[in-house]
Amino acid sequence: MKFGKIYKKQMVPEWVEAYMDYNGMKRILKEIRSYKHSKLTRAASRVSRQAEALHRSFSGLAFHPRHSEQHAGDIEDQVIKVDTVQQDDDFRQFYKTKFLKKSEEGGEFEEYFFKKLDENLNKVNKFYRDKVEEVLEEAALLDKQMDALIALRVKVQKPNADNLNLEKHPSDKVVVEASDSSTRTPGTTNKDMVHGMERTDIPEEEATHIAADIVPVSHTDGNEEEAGNGEKQDLREILERVKMNDALESPISTLKGVFGDSNEPISKKGLKKAEEQLRLVFSEFYQKLRRLKEYSFMNLLAFSKIMKKYEKIASRNASRNYMKIVDNSLIGSSDEVNRLLERVEVTFIKHFSSGNRREGMKSLRPKVKRERHRVTFFSGFFSGCSIALVVAVVFKIESRKIMDKDYGTEYMANIIPLYRQLFDLFGFIILHMLMYSANIYFWRLYRVNYTFIFGFKQGTELGYRDVFLISTGLSVLAFICFLLNLQLDMDWKLKDHKTLPEVIPLGLVAVVLSILFCPFNIIYRSSRLFFIRALFHCICAPLFEVTLPDFFLADHLTSQIQAIRSFELFICYYGLGEYLQRQNKCHSHGVYNAFYFVVAVIPYWLRFLQCIRRLCKEKESVHGYNALKYMLTIIAVIIRTAYELKKGRTWMILALVSSGVATGMNTFWDIVIDWGLLRRHSQNPYLRDKLLVPHKSVYFAAMIVNVILRVAWMQLVLEFNLKSLHKIAVTSIISCLEIVRRGIWSFFRLENEHLNNVGKYRAFKSVPHPFHYYDDEDADKDD
């Protein structure tokens, strides 16, 4: 694999713009090569008119690419001179290269090359310095958090202890040293970045493995522990300046925050919660340090590769001089990240894994998920089985001539509607999962960091093959149950046991629910728990802090109204004993009709509550407008459902008006707010400045399709006379189109979220700290 592909693959997606523009530099080198090639071609054409002997002996046009190496040390053969410019306002160094061969023919191309190279080096150094300063500040905060945690442990475990002196946490010393080193003048090359090897000697195919497994070199000194043990802190002083944070992340803490004090007293439960929270903070901080180290390594490797290409094309010795400047710059000589990586490892292993290094490193460095061949095999196997079962069902109905028998009408009136609801329930879910599988494929194709956006734990996220496997497996189960029901219903020996075929759909639902809530570590347990947790947060919408997975799932539930109603029919059919008489009379029950309204409103109501929660917490008016949008949708759904049950001209007019208003606002919100499109003054007219899909027509097509599928929702109110389709079939088709629209919406919604993260270089989760320090200045501000 070429280095350019490896380089792109190893980039942190949210930091793409901060990396060295390797492809851009390659394009400049191609221009230089094209110019030199045309120059040699012109020279060769002139010489061809002369005698061959004169050409070989006296023309001097022969090209000797290695000739300059013999005079690399001569001052007259020096190609570049790099000057260091220091700004007085922020004491940062910038590099400016002077190309000494500008007077030569074509020298302006090479001068432009070094100008762009300097811009990339300054950009990379500036970004790296900013990030190093951020992690140093965060390390200082984490050190204070660890002091508070250790003091709290002593207080809980030994509440009556007389000696309340606490040893100063050793990371203080390291942070101070790192801070001092960050201000020194770069001068030494950081050789451990490449495990002691020269970067130019690393093959391209090995760059991926080296970048993925960079191990910090130990900088500990034998006297460090003795030096760290000299300082003491008073435990009482720490605890007096610390209080437990509560982010109102649970229903109980939210209610406490609304009706009273949400601060938890010091207890074993509070200590355990603080330890779990700090464990997450350290894990996220460690990942940030690793990504920062990989960023440094890959950029150094890119500069080395591009200078080797320059030497090969321009036949000039400039790589050694320029790479010496790169190695002495901040990104090549800084070792603050190494020190912090080592200190985080030591602290985490000591305080969060009981000194067990293997367990501690396993938590800090989770394994990357690998694609398994058996997933691909079973996906294809279940796909083939689903097609075969569809064919088998059709042949079964035709061979037994079910529709021609006396009880065919009864069967169609009772059993087929039941299985229609079954296929509505599972068919819509399967279609939704297929769309999600396609979304994952395209997110990966266009490098949308969906694992970070959703907050999946590394190594536990589902790939598109996994989702496709689950959907095909579910379809096989549904078709087997339908085929089994046909077989049992036609069997003469079971004529007296008519309830047996009726129980099969219930058994299918029970099997699926048992797999979903299975506590054992089988069938993607981590993903099932993630889904259940997000679903529970949706149900308890106003009591939990709203995160992207929560409102993303709630938005998808709004596209599954028919599936939820099918589940309601199952409860009615089996709960009220309708299956014993093989009759479907649920609509004759008043309770069922009441819940028919409620079920259609629940998903929109959950999103409304989530918007209200975010409005109260974030104080942003956009959440209020979003809540208004969902309230209008709720009104439209209620009126449309009333029209569906009661009919009448008045109800139809009200349904048309309310549905039209809700459809218009939802369409505007999809395209302008969720997708960030229709920007008149953007670089891409009527789209947005940054696009991941290279073809602009895709965005315009998506907007048109979204409008059409939103308007198709109005068919449920208008009820156009489609003679070739039954009303139930039209409802099912429109529901499928809504799921397809939601799948399209999901891709562009996450693309917009990813680009927002890229614009802010936001590549890591912000985990709240468990402790809050307040001093005299804070007290004065409060007063």
Side-chain angles (χ1 to χ4, degrees):
M1 185 183 294
K2 293 185 178 181
F3 174 74
K5 293 183 178 180
I6 297 175
Y7 184 62
K8 184 178 180 180
K9 185 178 180 181
Q10 291 296 318
M11 287 181 177
V12 178
E14 288 77 10
W15 293 354
V16 169
E17 295 182 356
Y19 279 80
M20 182 254 201
D21 187 9
Y22 184 78
N23 290 331
M25 300 307 299
K26 280 179 63 178
R27 285 192 291 269
I28 300 176
L29 288 179
K30 287 181 180 179
E31 294 178 1
I32 297 175
R33 182 171 58 187
S34 299
Y35 177 81
K36 287 186 174 293
H37 180 73
S38 62
K39 177 183 176 182
L40 291 175
T41 302
R42 292 193 303 269
S45 63
R46 289 196 304 266
V47 174
S48 63
R49 291 191 295 267
Q50 301 177 3
E52 184 176 355
L54 291 175
H55 167 68
R56 291 182 179 275
S57 303
F58 304 105
S59 68
L61 295 175
F63 184 58
H64 304 288
R66 296 296 181 184
H67 178 71
S68 60
E69 294 181 2
Q70 300 174 2
H71 306 282
D74 297 342
I75 189 65
E76 59 270 14
D77 291 334
Q78 188 175 355
V79 179
I80 59 173
K81 180 183 178 182
V82 184
D83 296 325
T84 302
V85 180
Q86 186 169 347
Q87 294 186 354
D88 296 334
D89 52 353
D90 55 1
F91 302 100
R92 296 188 179 186
Q93 292 181 343
F94 292 89
Y95 300 96
K96 186 176 182 179
T97 302
K98 184 178 181 181
F99 183 65
L100 303 179
K101 304 292 183 179
K102 182 180 179 181
S103 59
E104 296 183 3
E105 189 176 359
E108 62 274 8
F109 291 100
E110 298 181 53
E111 183 184 29
Y112 180 70
F113 170 79
F114 283 104
K115 178 183 177 182
K116 299 303 292 184
L117 197 63
D118 289 339
E119 291 178 2
N120 278 276
L121 178 59
N122 293 328
K123 176 185 69 174
V124 169
N125 273 317
K126 181 180 183 302
F127 179 81
Y128 188 73
R129 177 183 288 274
D130 293 340
K131 288 300 176 183
V132 168
E133 291 176 355
E134 286 181 15
V135 296
L136 288 175
E137 293 177 0
E138 191 171 350
L141 292 176
L142 282 179
D143 181 72
K144 297 176 70 176
Q145 294 289 315
M146 282 304 303
D147 288 341
L149 179 65
I150 296 172
L152 185 60
R153 281 178 175 173
V154 175
K155 179 67 175 177
V156 172
Q157 295 173 2
K158 300 177 181 180
N160 299 321
D162 296 331
N163 184 13
L164 296 180
N165 287 331
L166 181 69
E167 293 183 0
K168 186 68 176 175
H169 192 256
S171 60
D172 277 353
K173 183 175 182 295
V174 176
V175 171
V176 173
E177 291 176 352
S179 302
D180 294 339
S181 62
S182 64
T183 59
R184 76 186 193 288
T185 303
T188 58
T189 305
N190 192 7
K191 295 291 185 181
D192 64 281
M193 290 297 296
V194 288
H195 301 277
M197 297 182 290
E198 291 289 343
R199 284 179 293 272
T200 55
D201 297 334
I202 300 176
E204 293 177 353
E205 59 270 13
E206 294 182 8
T208 306
H209 305 293
I210 296 175
D213 192 28
I214 297 176
V215 180
V217 176
S218 177
H219 294 280
T220 55
D221 192 2
N223 299 325
E224 181 180 355
E225 185 176 356
E226 296 178 2
N229 292 335
E231 301 182 21
K232 300 282 186 179
Q233 275 188 314
D234 188 6
L235 185 145
R236 295 190 186 91
E237 181 182 350
I238 294 176
L239 293 180
E240 286 176 358
R241 296 187 294 113
V242 169
K243 70 176 181 178
M244 296 283 291
N245 278 336
D246 198 326
L248 306 181
E249 295 178 347
S250 65
I252 296 178
S253 61
T254 300
L255 293 176
K256 285 183 178 180
V258 173
F259 297 106
D261 188 11
S262 63
N263 294 330
E264 293 186 3
I266 297 177
S267 63
K268 290 185 177 180
K269 184 178 179 182
L271 174 62
K272 184 178 180 181
K273 181 179 178 181
E275 288 177 345
E276 292 176 353
Q277 204 165 348
L278 260 184
R279 185 184 181 94
L280 292 176
V281 173
F282 268 91
S283 297
E284 197 66 25
F285 183 60
Y286 187 79
Q287 296 305 318
K288 183 184 297 185
L289 293 174
R290 289 190 68 197
R291 294 292 179 268
L292 196 56
K293 191 172 180 65
E294 292 172 7
Y295 170 84
S296 172
F297 171 77
M298 293 306 299
N299 277 287
L300 289 172
L301 196 57
F303 278 106
S304 176
K305 292 288 184 181
I306 204 67
M307 287 307 300
K308 286 178 64 178
K309 288 182 178 294
Y310 170 78
E311 280 194 342
K312 184 177 179 180
I313 293 173
S315 186
R316 301 184 189 276
N317 279 339
S319 177
R320 185 182 297 274
N321 292 336
Y322 198 87
M323 287 309 300
K324 188 181 296 184
I325 298 298
V326 174
D327 288 337
N328 289 335
S329 67
L330 180 67
I331 195 171
S333 62
S334 174
D335 59 353
E336 291 88 349
V337 177
N338 279 339
R339 293 173 177 268
L340 289 175
L341 274 169
E342 180 192 2
R343 183 52 55 195
V344 170
E345 290 178 2
V346 172
T347 304
F348 191 88
I349 292 169
K350 179 180 179 181
H351 295 284
F352 298 102
S353 58
S354 303
N356 189 331
R357 179 172 178 81
R358 176 177 295 182
E359 292 298 323
M361 296 308 297
K362 186 178 179 181
S363 300
L364 287 175
R365 295 186 181 182
K367 294 182 179 180
V368 179
K369 186 176 180 180
R370 296 180 179 179
E371 299 291 345
R372 300 183 182 275
H373 294 295
R374 63 170 177 261
V375 174
T376 306
F377 170 77
F378 281 109
S379 297
F381 176 74
F382 287 147
S383 300
C385 289
S386 300
I387 297 173
L389 287 170
V390 171
V391 175
V393 168
V394 173
F395 275 102
K396 192 74 173 177
I397 295 175
E398 291 296 328
S399 63
R400 295 298 183 95
K401 297 182 179 180
I402 296 176
M403 304 307 168
D404 297 337
K405 296 191 177 182
D406 295 336
Y407 58 89
T409 304
E410 178 185 355
Y411 191 85
M412 288 295 295
N414 297 293
I415 304 302
I416 293 300
L418 175 64
Y419 272 91
R420 185 188 68 82
Q421 298 298 333
L422 177 69
F423 278 101
D424 279 353
L425 177 61
F426 288 99
F428 294 153
I429 293 175
I430 291 170
L431 178 60
H432 218 131
M433 295 179 69
L434 290 174
M435 293 299 299
Y436 181 58
S437 176
N439 280 332
I440 293 177
Y441 174 81
F442 286 108
W443 286 332
R444 288 189 175 182
L445 179 64
Y446 295 109
R447 293 183 59 78
V448 175
N449 195 0
Y450 71 97
T451 56
F452 164 67
I453 295 174
F454 285 134
F456 294 136
K457 186 178 179 181
Q458 185 177 353
T460 63
E461 71 277 5
L462 294 181
Y464 66 92
R465 291 186 180 92
D466 299 298
V467 179
F468 186 75
L469 173 63
I470 297 173
S471 59
T472 53
L474 192 59
S475 65
V476 168
L477 281 177
F479 283 120
I480 287 177
C481 287
F482 187 46
L483 190 61
L484 187 61
N485 179 273
L486 288 176
Q487 180 64 34
L488 293 178
D489 204 70
M490 297 295 101
D491 196 341
W492 291 99
K493 296 179 180 180
L494 297 174
K495 285 296 182 180
D496 296 332
H497 302 279
K498 294 182 179 181
T499 58
L500 182 58
E502 297 283 328
V503 179
I504 293 177
L506 181 62
L508 175 61
V509 175
V511 168
V512 173
L513 290 178
S514 62
I515 293 175
L516 176 62
F517 293 98
C518 178
F520 303 109
N521 191 14
I522 57 174
I523 313 179
Y524 305 109
R525 179 175 180 268
S526 59
S527 299
R528 289 188 286 109
L529 292 178
F530 186 90
F531 172 78
I532 294 172
R533 188 185 304 113
L535 183 61
F536 184 67
H537 287 185
C538 291
I539 296 173
C540 304
L543 302 179
F544 279 100
E545 183 179 5
V546 182
T547 59
L548 189 141
D550 300 338
F551 69 74
F552 195 82
L553 177 60
D555 274 325
H556 280 259
L557 289 178
T558 60
S559 299
Q560 288 286 1
I561 301 297
Q562 289 302 121
I564 299 174
R565 280 176 169 173
S566 300
F567 192 74
E568 179 195 7
L569 178 65
F570 267 87
I571 296 175
C572 171
Y573 190 78
Y574 290 102
L576 300 180
E578 299 287 344
Y579 73 100
L580 296 175
Q581 289 80 27
R582 296 174 67 93
Q583 294 179 348
N584 182 11
K585 297 182 179 180
C586 289
H587 280 287
S588 62
H589 298 284
V591 176
Y592 178 84
N593 291 330
F595 275 97
Y596 197 75
F597 279 88
V598 175
V599 165
V601 169
I602 286 177
Y604 300 104
W605 177 251
L606 297 179
R607 279 298 286 125
F608 173 78
L609 294 179
Q610 288 177 340
C611 294
I612 294 299
R613 166 73 188 238
R614 297 186 70 183
L615 176 63
C616 295
K617 182 179 180 180
E618 301 175 16
K619 309 298 183 182
E620 295 181 4
S621 59
V622 65
H623 300 307
Y625 293 124
N626 201 14
L628 175 63
K629 179 194 73 172
Y630 285 106
M631 180 54 66
L632 292 175
T633 308
I634 289 173
I635 295 173
V637 169
I638 293 175
I639 296 176
R640 192 193 70 190
T641 305
Y643 168 69
E644 181 181 349
L645 295 177
K646 298 181 179 180
K647 301 300 179 181
R649 187 177 183 85
T650 303
W651 283 110
M652 186 185 73
I653 295 174
L654 291 175
L656 281 175
V657 173
S658 60
S659 298
V661 173
T663 300
M665 189 166 185
N666 278 285
T667 304
F668 170 82
W669 199 273
D670 288 344
I671 297 174
V672 178
I673 306 299
D674 290 340
W675 294 358
L677 301 177
L678 289 181
R679 309 295 186 198
R680 291 185 57 187
H681 303 292
S682 67
Q683 298 176 3
N684 304 295
Y686 296 102
L687 296 178
R688 66 170 100 88
D689 291 338
K690 298 177 183 178
L691 304 173
L692 293 183
V693 181
H695 305 289
K696 298 180 183 179
S697 58
V698 173
Y699 294 91
F700 289 107
M703 288 190 285
I704 294 172
V705 170
N706 186 78
V707 173
I708 293 174
L709 295 183
R710 279 288 190 184
V711 174
W713 190 58
M714 299 286 291
Q715 165 62 21
L716 300 177
V717 179
L718 298 173
E719 295 185 348
F720 290 119
N721 186 16
L722 302 175
K723 297 181 180 180
S724 59
L725 293 175
H726 194 274
K727 178 183 176 181
I728 296 176
V730 172
T731 303
S732 298
I733 291 174
I734 292 177
S735 299
C736 290
L737 292 177
E738 167 61 19
I739 294 172
V740 172
R741 187 203 64 81
R742 182 60 66 181
I744 298 172
W745 173 90
S746 300
F747 174 81
F748 294 103
R749 175 65 181 88
L750 234 65
E751 181 205 21
N752 190 35
E753 184 71 20
H754 172 77
L755 291 175
N756 290 334
N757 292 338
V758 170
K760 300 176 182 177
Y761 299 112
R762 185 170 54 205
F764 302 96
K765 293 186 297 184
S766 177
V767 183
H769 292 175
F771 302 106
H772 172 68
Y773 276 81
Y774 54 94
D775 49 19
D776 295 336
E777 294 180 0
D778 293 333
D780 293 338
K781 291 179 181 179
D782 293 338
D783 293 337

